[in-house]
């Protein structure tokens, strides 16, 4: 559990870092809806617990994804089982009621009386904050889902005081009176619990108690963490996403009661919304739920609904004459009320303003604000656009809140003019031009130059913006590549109105490893604002350098292509040994006859000796042993034939060892039977 919590904490920190790096917040979009289907995947049609089921169903419900029919069967069985069991834990009852509020497994007048009694007893006897939370919030859910149920808390003020006793002076709360450690996450649970007590109370809670809680809320806001872009979040041991979401749920629940009169700073609310939008799409189901649920709480609250200004694109092409487009929506992407958007300032990289107080036009069809023309002094480069949202508060039923000013980094791109490009070989002594050629860097050229170590190579060109100003690219490199694949890269610097590079080969002979021969010349120019960035193969230069001294460094070994091992291999040429000359066929046949002749003589000898089977045993046991013995000898002879035809030596020896043991046993039995028969004849 500790390892998993630490992993979640580290992931949350990474998300916070991403949020800090992001400059433009985007509302919830279809990307979140697609990701939700991958994050909340049930196992065999249900989730491991009702807590996971609620978080999945709640997230999908907020995003407008209907998956109730796919999950209602198995999940509702668990809900009915928990609500029908008197031994169910308070936590399980709370999440069963939460799921029931979405799936409507039990509704109408079918009030689970045993559950209500358990929750009321839990609220009365609770000592821990979580017991208060599950009991009170469970009773609130019962009141919302089952009509005609009297769930008023007669001792509501006493319960309010018991919960309030767990608060700390810094606005944080403890989980129990026996635990001195306080938590910002617990503060969110406490605010939700107190909101439930207020809604279940038969009469108004003492305003002094409510005022004390409101004071604690303001102190809690003093612990807010802030980034330079106006993003706010709460941090804690549960991680910034879970902690901030818990506080937001608690605050919106507490503010839902008119008796609290809670008003929070608008910039803090917008900053909290920007935090959740800035983390992107969490891959963890718990973080995903906390993000979506917290944003839904911010979109539907009593104090103020945050509006988010976003841009479909932060790049403006001056070549295509693209308009600047801006959208304003709620955090969940709903349409904003009638309002105006003004471009207060457009600051260039030097801090000078090039656009001031320009109100954007509105396109009702796309719900987009746009600026379709730019002043004549608007050139390529990086800008900071400062937007202001103009709200008409009298025309809106809800109270909306926005940032006072939203700063957005904008990149203006365009085609950069490349002029007066030339390459020349100079004499080192007087600097006179030996050879010079004009270049067209927009296409590859076939320039051919030659130089020795006493000469120089000069490359120069001019880059100008659409307004005719000098343009300094982020990247401008010249690469010399020797025919042995050794490469050398040189930086081209812009000085004044011209970009120039001069290579003095006398001072570069050691860097070039004294390698004479052909060098390919390649120029690279690139910049984020340059739409026509280029990589141009200019041509080649033939260098005549001195011989390498004995102690001079050798050129580095060039890396081999790692994929070359998967290519075709070199053909293997093999010459087989010339077969030895075989003897004549007739000689082989004569040798075969000499081998077979003794066997024929053996057979003839047997017939001459009058061999017969009269002495073959007649009893069953002796006859069986004799047959097995002769069969074993035949098997050995057959094994020899197979060895001659196909078997190898090792297989033959293995089989022969088995047959040898068998023959030893049956041969001994056969000889014993013959000896016994002979003794009987002699005694007779």
């Amino acid at each position: 559990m500790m390892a998993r919590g630490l992993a979640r904490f580290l992931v949350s920190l990474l998300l916070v870092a991403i949020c800090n790096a992001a400059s433009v917040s985007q509302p919830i979009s279809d990307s979140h809806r697609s990701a939700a289907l991958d994050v909340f995947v049930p196992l065999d049609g249900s989730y491991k617990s009702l807590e996971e089921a609620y978080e999945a169903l709640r997230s999908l419900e907020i995003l407008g994804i209907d998956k109730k029919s796919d999950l209602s069967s198995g999940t509702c069985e668990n809900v009915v089982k928990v609500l029908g069991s008197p031994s169910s834990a308070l936590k399980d009852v709370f999440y069963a009621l939460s799921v029931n509020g979405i799936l409507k497994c039990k509704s109408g007048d079918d009030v689970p009386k045993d559950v209500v009694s358990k929750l009321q007893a839990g609220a009365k006897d609770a000592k821990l904050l979580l017991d208060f939370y599950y009991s009170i919030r469970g009773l609130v859910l019962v009141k919302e889902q089952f009509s005609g149920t009297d769930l008023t808390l007669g001792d509501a003020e006493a319960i309010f005081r018991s919960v309030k006793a767990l608060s700390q002076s810094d606005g944080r709360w403890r989980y129990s009176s026996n635990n001195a450690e306080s938590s910002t996450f617990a503060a969110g649970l406490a605010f939700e619990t107190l909101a439930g007590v207020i809604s279940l109370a038969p009469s108004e809670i003492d305003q002094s108690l409510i005022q004390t809680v409101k004071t604690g809320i303001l102190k809690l806001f003093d612990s807010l963490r802030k980034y330079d872009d106006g993003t706010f979040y709460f941090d804690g041991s549960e991680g910034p996403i879970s902690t901030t979401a818990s506080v937001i749920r608690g605050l919106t629940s507490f503010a839902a009661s008119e008796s609290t009169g809670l008003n929070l700073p608008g910039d803090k609310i917008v900053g909290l919304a920007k935090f959740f939008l800035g983390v992107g799409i969490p891959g963890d189901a718990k973080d995903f739920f906390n993000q979506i649920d917290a944003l839904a709480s911010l979109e539907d609250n009593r104090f103020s609904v945050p509006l988010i200004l976003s841009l479909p694109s932060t790049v403006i092409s001056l070549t295509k004459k693209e308009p600047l487009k801006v959208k304003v929506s709620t955090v969940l992407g709903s349409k904003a009320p009638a309002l105006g958007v003004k471009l207060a300032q457009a600051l260039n990289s030097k801090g000078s303003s090039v656009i001031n107080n320009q109100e954007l036009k509105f396109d009702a069809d796309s719900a987009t604000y746009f600026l379709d023309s730019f002043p004549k002094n608007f050139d390529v480069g990086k800008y900071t656009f400062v937007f202001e949202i103009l709200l008409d508060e009298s025309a809106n039923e809800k109270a909306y809140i926005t940032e006072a000013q939203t700063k957005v980094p904008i990149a203006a791109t365009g085609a950069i003019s490349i002029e007066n490009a030339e390459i020349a070989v100079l004499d080192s002594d007087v600097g006179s031009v030996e050879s010079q050629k004009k270049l067209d860097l927009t296409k590859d050229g076939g320039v051919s130059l030659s130089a020795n170590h006493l000469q120089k190579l000069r490359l120069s060109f001019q880059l100008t913006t659409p307004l005719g100003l000098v343009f300094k690219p982020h990247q401008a490199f010249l690469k010399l590549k020797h025919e042995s694949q050794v490469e050398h890269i040189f930086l081209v610097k812009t000085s004044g109105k011209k970009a120039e590079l001069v290579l003095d080969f006398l001072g570069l002979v050691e860097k070039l490893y004294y390698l004479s021969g052909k060098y390919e010349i390649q120029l690279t120019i690139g910049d984020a604002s340059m739409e026509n960035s280029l990589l141009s193969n200019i041509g080649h230069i033939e260098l005549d350098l001195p011989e390498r001294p004995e102690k001079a460094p050798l050129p580095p070994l060039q890396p081999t292509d790692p994929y070359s091992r998967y290519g075709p291999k070199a053909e293997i040429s093999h010459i087989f040994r010339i077969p030895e000359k075989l003897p004549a066929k007739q000689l082989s046949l004569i040798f075969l006859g000499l081998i077979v002749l003794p066997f024929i003589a053996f057979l003839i000898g047997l017939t001459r000796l009058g061999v017969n089977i009269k002495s073959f045993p007649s009893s069953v046991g002796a006859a069986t042993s004799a047959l097995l013995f002769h069969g074993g000898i035949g098997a050995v002879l057959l094994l020899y034939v197979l060895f001659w035809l196909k078997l190898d030596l090792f297989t033959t020896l293995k089989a022969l060892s088995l047959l040898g043991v068998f023959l030893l046993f049956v041969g001994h039995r056969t000889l014993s039977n013959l000896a016994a028969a002979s003794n009987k004849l002699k005694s007779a």
Side-chain angles (χ1 to χ4, degrees), residues 636-647:
V636 171
L637 295 175
L638 178 61
L639 181 63
Y640 288 160
V641 174
L642 293 175
F643 171 66
W644 180 268
L645 296 176
K646 57 184 295 185
L647 295 181

Side-chain angles (χ1 to χ4, degrees), residues 230-256:
T231 297
F232 290 95
Y233 71 96
F234 291 97
D235 200 3
S237 58
E238 291 81 2
I241 294 180
S242 296
T243 302
T244 308
S246 175
V247 174
I248 288 177
R249 280 192 292 265
L251 292 177
T252 53
S253 298
F254 191 76

